[in-house]
Amino acid sequence: MATTNPTPLRAPLTVEFPFTRSLGPVQSAFLTGLSHRTVLGVRTSDDRILVPPTEYDPRTAEEIRDLVEVAPTGTVTTWAWNPSPRRFQPLDTPFAWVLVTLDGAGTAMLHALDAPGPDHVRTGMRVRIRWAEERTGAITDIACFEPYDAEPDTRPEGRPASHDGRFDDMITLLTAPARLDYTYSPGRAPTDYLTALADHRTVGERCPSCRKVYVPPRGACPTCGIATDEQVEVGPHGTVTTFCIVNIKARNLDIEVPYVYGHIALDGAGLALHGRIAGIPYDQVRMGLRVEPVWVGEGRYPDHYRPTGEPDADYDAYKELI
């Protein structure tokens, strides 16, 4: 069977989840300090001051807890212009990403610089923190940096002062959203497979060497490493090879528990695919049960598989597909 749809499918895809972690005493003090407009660093045994602070010296791996307060002003060490801000970035107008060494610190921190254009940004320029109006104990409490004319304080008394890292409302947990937005294309072979499913057909591709039919097709045989392009229609009937009974209800899935999810070897396929098995009491599902797909409405995929009424398949007929 020849390929019928040469144009691969494309669709936007978002992967997102919140990540919550405990902070430990150093990071807890640093983020709580930001909510109080205080920037804390940590002093190493050789008198380097790290901002943002770490719990261990990156050179010696020694544990460090000696907190100090540094100034909210600093110097740009390097920068890059961002002409098209994305969602969740610090500013919604063009800005510069900058590394800033705060006065008193020995390392630079990354943040945004609010500037009218790249001609107004340079290495060595003086900047200061613009604090967010509402602060929650996160790096976003620093809304951004902004240009600042004053020179650094080089007097001995201007050295960073020790800080005990204690505040009345210590923040001990941090929840950071992790998000990835991209456009996904399944490729030529999966596109043909999905297009056929919309017509209530299931197609795989046969390897020209081992002759195994892969469903869903992958565009190449994973065993032989050979490209596949010969389409083969399989099913619609198939055999349950293995299954499990699900007793925990999944979020946003409107299926009452218990229900059965199984591997189904469609007739003519060289490996099993997975699907929900319904139309039969969950405790009567068994290996070898003959089933067929059921589409509901205009769904692209089979909603579930149900028994065909045929006699069970002999074990030897599907044992290689378990």
Side-chain angles (χ1 to χ4, degrees):
M1 182 184 300
T3 299
T4 59
N5 190 352
T7 304
L9 297 172
R10 294 179 182 274
L13 185 63
T14 298
V15 179
E16 183 177 19
F17 63 92
F19 175 69
T20 301
R21 53 158 290 191
S22 59
L23 292 172
V26 173
Q27 296 299 322
S28 175
F30 173 68
L31 292 179
T32 307
L34 294 182
S35 69
H36 292 267
R37 298 191 179 190
T38 301
V39 184
L40 297 180
V42 66
R43 193 192 306 272
T44 66
S45 59
D46 57 355
D47 207 32
R48 289 175 294 117
I49 296 179
L50 311 181
V51 180
T54 62
E55 295 180 348
Y56 297 91
D57 189 323
R59 293 182 183 176
T60 66
E62 176 187 9
E63 185 177 8
I64 42 181
R65 298 287 182 87
D66 184 12
L67 293 168
V68 295
E69 181 178 352
V70 299
T73 56
T75 303
V76 173
T77 62
T78 189
W79 61 278
W81 187 251
N82 179 14
S84 302
R86 298 184 178 183
R87 184 169 55 169
F88 302 128
Q89 289 189 337
L91 300 173
D92 57 8
T93 56
F95 64 90
W97 287 113
V98 288
L99 283 175
V100 175
T101 301
L102 294 175
D103 297 336
T107 57
M109 64 183 301
L110 176 68
H111 216 297
L113 170 66
D114 187 7
D119 294 340
H120 293 77
V121 186
R122 68 184 188 281
T123 297
M125 71 181 294
R126 296 285 294 160
V127 295
R128 66 180 175 186
I129 290 175
R130 180 192 297 168
W131 295 102
E133 292 185 6
E134 295 184 6
R135 295 177 301 282
T136 60
I139 193 62
T140 50
D141 289 352
I142 300 176
C144 63
F145 283 95
E146 60 187 12
Y148 181 63
D149 292 333
E151 293 299 318
D153 184 358
T154 58
R155 298 173 302 165
E157 59 268 27
R159 284 177 51 82
S162 295
H163 196 288
D164 61 12
R166 297 177 183 174
F167 299 91
D168 292 336
D169 50 349
M170 296 300 296
I171 296 166
T172 59
L173 293 176
L174 171 68
T175 299
R179 181 185 176 102
L180 178 63
D181 294 280
Y182 63 99
T183 299
Y184 173 71
S185 175
R188 191 270 311 162
T191 291
D192 292 340
Y193 170 74
L194 294 172
T195 301
L197 279 181
D199 295 329
H200 294 189
R201 297 183 302 111
T202 304
V203 298
E205 289 188 352
R206 190 192 311 275
C207 173
S209 176
C210 68
R211 308 302 292 170
K212 181 177 288 187
V213 177
Y214 287 95
V215 182
R218 309 172 185 184
C221 175
T223 301
C224 304
I226 299 174
T228 58
D229 57 14
E230 179 191 354
Q231 286 191 355
V232 178
E233 185 167 344
V234 299
H237 291 188
T239 301
V240 176
T241 62
T242 59
F243 65 94
C244 68
I245 299 173
V246 180
N247 289 289
I248 299 176
K249 187 174 180 61
R251 183 184 298 178
N252 300 328
L253 187 60
D254 190 22
I255 300 175
E256 293 300 320
V257 295
Y259 63 89
V260 179
Y261 212 73
H263 276 180
I264 300 163
L266 296 179
D267 296 346
L271 76 168
L273 49 74
H274 54 78
R276 185 168 63 95
I277 302 167
I280 183 176
Y282 72 91
D283 57 356
Q284 293 183 23
V285 176
R286 55 198 179 272
M287 296 171 65
L289 179 69
R290 295 286 291 165
V291 293
E292 63 183 357
V294 177
W295 274 268
V296 175
E298 298 181 358
R300 179 181 288 273
Y301 308 97
D303 179 75
H304 62 274
Y305 290 79
R306 67 186 177 194
T308 64
E310 303 170 81
D312 288 0
D314 185 77
Y315 176 73
D316 289 336
Y318 62 87
K319 65 181 181 180
E320 300 296 330
L321 301 177
I322 295 177

